[in-house]
């Protein structure tokens, strides 16, 4: 597709067909007793609307805050994309402004989005900023939540070609970013 993202099928975290691969008591740590070498690096983009410690409402934020970190420790290049919610404490972050006023095709007229990058526990995080949809005091609970998260998906698609990162897999974290995968599939 023309964008830098592509739809992929399910990528298993552990190949259960190989008895030599087992999980330790720490479910985020894989130990391969058969292979001494590391498989090639997998580029993974997590698309999530919450991530601990930036914006956490529940378990979704916990997973997006811990799994990318664990996968990076395993040698993969994992990054997270999420909205720059108004509730995120910006002064605590060392932000880099990556993209300015990227055009997002949108019903009723194009919207614009800026992209900031922060490092959260060693994980690069792309924060998509749009005051209309994300500049709010909390993550959820608005009448237009469906529209807001559809915009997040479309904004990420518009920004992806300019980020300099081409993922092998996109992890859509719950329904909020699942529409991203349907857009990618339609683009194939």
């Amino acid at each position: 597709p023309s964008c830098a993202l592509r739809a992929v099928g399910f990528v298993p975290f552990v190949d259960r067909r190989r008895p030599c691969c087992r999980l330790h008591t720490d479910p985020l740590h894989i130990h391969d007793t058969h292979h001494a070498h590391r498989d090639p690096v997998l580029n993974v983009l997590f698309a999530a609307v919450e991530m601990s410690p930036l914006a956490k409402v529940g378990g979704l934020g916990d997973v997006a805050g811990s799994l990318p970190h664990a996968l990076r420790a395993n040698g993969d290049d994992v990054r997270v994309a999420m909205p720059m919610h108004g509730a995120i404490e910006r002064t605590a972050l060392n932000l880099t402004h990556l993209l300015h006023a990227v055009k997002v095709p949108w019903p009723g007229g194009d919207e614009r989005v800026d992209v900031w990058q922060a490092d959260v526990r060693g994980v690069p995080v792309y924060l998509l900023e749009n005051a209309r949809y994300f500049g709010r005091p909390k993550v959820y609970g608005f009448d237009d939540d469906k529209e807001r998260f559809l915009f997040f998906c479309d904004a990420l698609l518009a920004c992806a070609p300019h980020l300099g990162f081409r993922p092998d897999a996109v992890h859509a974290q719950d329904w909020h970013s699942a529409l991203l995968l349907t857009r990618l599939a339609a683009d194939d």
Side-chain angles (χ1 to χ4, degrees):
S2 59
C3 73
L5 304 178
R6 62 183 172 84
V8 296
F10 173 70
V11 178
F13 187 59
V14 176
D15 187 350
R16 287 168 175 52
R17 296 170 296 173
R18 287 183 22 204
C20 60
C21 208
R22 64 182 171 81
L23 288 175
H24 278 277
T25 54
D26 176 2
L28 298 179
H29 180 256
I30 293 179
H31 178 71
D32 189 334
T33 58
H34 180 67
H35 297 349
H37 71 280
R38 170 69 171 102
D39 290 335
V41 171
L42 185 64
N43 294 334
V44 181
L45 180 66
F46 271 67
V49 298
E50 58 178 278
M51 176 189 181
S52 178
L54 300 179
K56 177 190 171 327
V57 176
L60 186 65
D62 290 330
V63 172
S66 61
L67 186 54
H69 176 72
L71 291 172
R72 283 187 73 82
N74 196 41
D76 294 315
D77 187 355
V78 181
R79 303 174 189 200
V80 176
M82 66 177 286
M84 174 73 91
H85 298 292
I88 293 175
E89 183 56 52
R90 295 173 186 221
T91 58
L93 300 173
N94 183 14
L95 293 169
T96 302
H97 197 193
L98 295 181
L99 302 173
H100 177 71
V102 176
K103 183 174 84 168
V104 180
W106 196 244
D110 295 337
E111 284 284 331
R112 301 285 174 175
V113 67
D114 281 12
V115 179
W116 298 82
Q117 184 173 339
D119 180 86
V120 178
R121 297 181 53 222
V123 176
V125 178
Y126 302 120
L127 295 154
L128 283 67
E129 180 181 40
N130 175 281
R132 176 179 172 193
Y133 288 112
F134 308 136
R136 301 180 187 191
K138 58 186 183 174
V139 176
Y140 306 113
F142 301 97
D143 290 339
D144 63 345
D145 277 354
K146 291 175 190 162
E147 182 180 343
R148 293 173 59 227
F149 300 131
L150 176 58
F151 176 76
F152 167 64
C153 295
D154 286 354
L156 183 52
L157 286 172
C159 295
H162 310 289
L163 293 175
F165 177 70
R166 187 170 178 93
D168 300 308
V170 173
H171 176 94
Q173 186 78 10
D174 216 316
W175 70 267
H176 318 95
S177 54
L179 293 169
L180 175 67
L181 300 181
T182 62
R183 297 277 209 233
L184 287 170
D187 196 32
D188 276 347

